[in-house]
Amino acid sequence: MTSKKHLFIHATKHPSLWKGLVGILLFFLSFSPVGAQKIGLVLGGGGAKGGAEVGVLKVLEEAGIRPDFIVGTSIGSIVGGLYAAGYTASELEEMFSQQEWLSLLTDRRADLSGEPFKVLKGVTYIFGFPVIDKNNTAFGVLGGGRVEQVIDSMLSAKGCVEFDCLPIPFRCVAASMKNAEEVVLSRGTLPKAIRASMAIPGIFKPVEIDGEKLVDGGMMNNLPVDVCREMGADIIIAVDLQQEKPQNRKSQEGNFITSLADIVGLGPIANWVLTRPDITKYNENRQHCDIYINPPLPDYDASSFGNESMLRMIQVGEQSARNQLPNLQKLPVNAQQ
């Protein structure tokens, strides 16, 4: 049997053999994962406008693009979390277009929809909508329990309710009420994390995770491109639902207000209102993605959850992604498969 040393000597004496060995080496290296570019998908927040993100997913699937990482904020965390768990774009389209979103998000009880006023177990209902809950006095009108239950059941159907078991690594962004800082959720129970990421302050009650009360991640990072980059993404596709591009701003009279707010324990919140760090981060992230998809949805807002509106927004998202097909088709082959 020829040893490795003898093989090298023969190769150096015979250039044709050397070229053949180099060719074989390059052939196997072409299939090596070393240096393979990883693709990340970022799904921004925007309430009902998240239907457009489902339309984008349809086109990505058609193009054979499967992300290596997914990050979402608010409604983007719902779309991204379910997709990371294994739901297809067509399955999400069916869910988004047929779901009774008003009842789901408001925890409305259908059996009390005909009752002008009803109090049950400490909860006051007006035509089935819970408006006061003596058992949960946290700031916010809606508990969000039903949407968490639905997400939990959907993830359970895929056999995955924890971050660790997701087929595609996923992160979602929330914000701390205590210090107005960004919190990236990456472990534990997925439905609860998604519920925290979409807890709009004043509308939904905050969610407590690891002893911290969390609210909607859009307060700090509505287009978390930087989070996806930190996960290891080389190429990032960002879906931005923001319609009007906010400008960075700094308050000149903020010192007195923040000092006063510090005295009553609201310093971090007051500082957020005055400086809007979320706008600065949003503008930076928008400039640092590789493929930017911004579906035009001027006639819709975060509450446009009607089935007809949802179908239309899915179509708008799909068309916006098709406009980017020339760029999507330039992605490396290893990012498409």
Side-chain angles (χ1 to χ4, degrees), residues 20 28 44 107 114 163 167 182 185-186 190 219 222 236 245 253 259 272 278 290 296 300 310 320 331:
F28 282 106
D107 295 336
F163 276 90
E182 177 181 351
L185 299 169
S186 61
L190 193 55
M219 277 190 65
N222 205 41
I236 292 183
K245 307 308 177 206
E253 67 281 351
S259 297
W272 179 88
D278 58 312
D290 299 284
Y300 302 95
M310 189 63 67
S320 296
L331 294 179

Side-chain angles (χ1 to χ4, degrees), residues 78-319:
I78 297 179
V79 178
L82 293 175
Y83 196 71
Y87 278 91
T88 65
S90 59
E91 289 173 328
L92 292 177
E93 180 181 28
E94 183 177 359
M95 185 203 82
F96 268 71
S97 59
Q98 296 182 8
Q99 182 62 248
E100 180 50 62
W101 286 98
L102 181 63
S103 297
L104 179 64
L105 294 173
T106 61
D107 295 336
R108 187 184 191 187
R109 287 186 50 167
D111 59 325
L112 299 178
S113 60
E115 296 275 356
F117 182 85
K118 190 76 174 180
V119 179
L120 291 174
K121 298 181 179 180
V123 181
T124 301
Y125 297 90
I126 296 179
F127 292 107
F129 293 102
V131 293
I132 300 174
D133 185 355
K134 292 184 178 179
N135 305 307
N136 188 347
T137 57
F139 182 65
V141 177
L142 307 173
R146 283 196 60 195
V147 70
E148 186 174 335
Q149 291 171 5
V150 169
I151 293 170
D152 183 83
S153 65
M154 292 187 70
L155 292 171
S156 297
K158 293 293 184 183
C160 188
V161 293
E162 302 285 328
F163 276 90
D164 292 343
C165 68
L166 290 171
I168 301 176
F170 170 73
R171 302 286 184 268
C172 60
V173 178
S176 168
M177 281 193 68
K178 180 180 179 180
N179 50 28
E181 291 183 351
E182 177 181 351
V183 177
V184 178
L185 299 169
S186 61
R187 59 185 176 85
T189 305
L190 193 55
K192 193 171 187 179
I194 292 174
R195 161 75 180 82
S197 181
M198 54 161 285
I200 303 171
I203 298 179
F204 289 98
K205 295 183 183 299
V207 177
E208 187 168 326
I209 297 179
D210 294 336
E212 197 162 12
K213 291 184 178 180
L214 304 178
V215 293
D216 194 302
M219 277 190 65
M220 297 304 302
N221 197 350
N222 205 41
L223 192 69
V225 170
D226 56 327
V227 177
C228 196
R229 195 73 75 182
E230 289 170 6
M231 291 178 73
D234 302 296
I235 301 169
I236 292 183
I237 302 170
V239 186
D240 181 14
L241 302 177
Q242 187 88 31
Q243 299 302 298
E244 296 181 5
K245 307 308 177 206
Q247 299 298 315
N248 296 339
R249 71 181 191 189
K250 290 185 179 180
S251 173
Q252 301 299 321
E253 67 281 351
N255 291 335
F256 170 75
I257 297 176
T258 52
S259 297
L260 183 62
D262 282 331
I263 296 174
V264 295
L266 294 175
I269 302 299
N271 185 63
W272 179 88
V273 172
L274 290 168
T275 63
R276 292 300 302 271
D278 58 312
I279 295 177
T280 301
K281 178 162 279 193
Y282 166 79
N283 287 326
E284 290 175 353
N285 280 334
R286 192 160 55 94
Q287 300 300 322
H288 289 92
C289 57
D290 299 284
I291 296 179
Y292 178 73
I293 301 175
N294 184 209
L297 300 164
D299 299 327
Y300 302 95
D301 58 32
S303 62
S304 301
F305 275 109
N307 291 352
E308 185 176 336
S309 295
M310 189 63 67
L311 280 171
R312 176 59 186 150
M313 285 187 284
I314 291 173
Q315 292 171 358
V316 172
E318 185 176 345
Q319 184 56 53

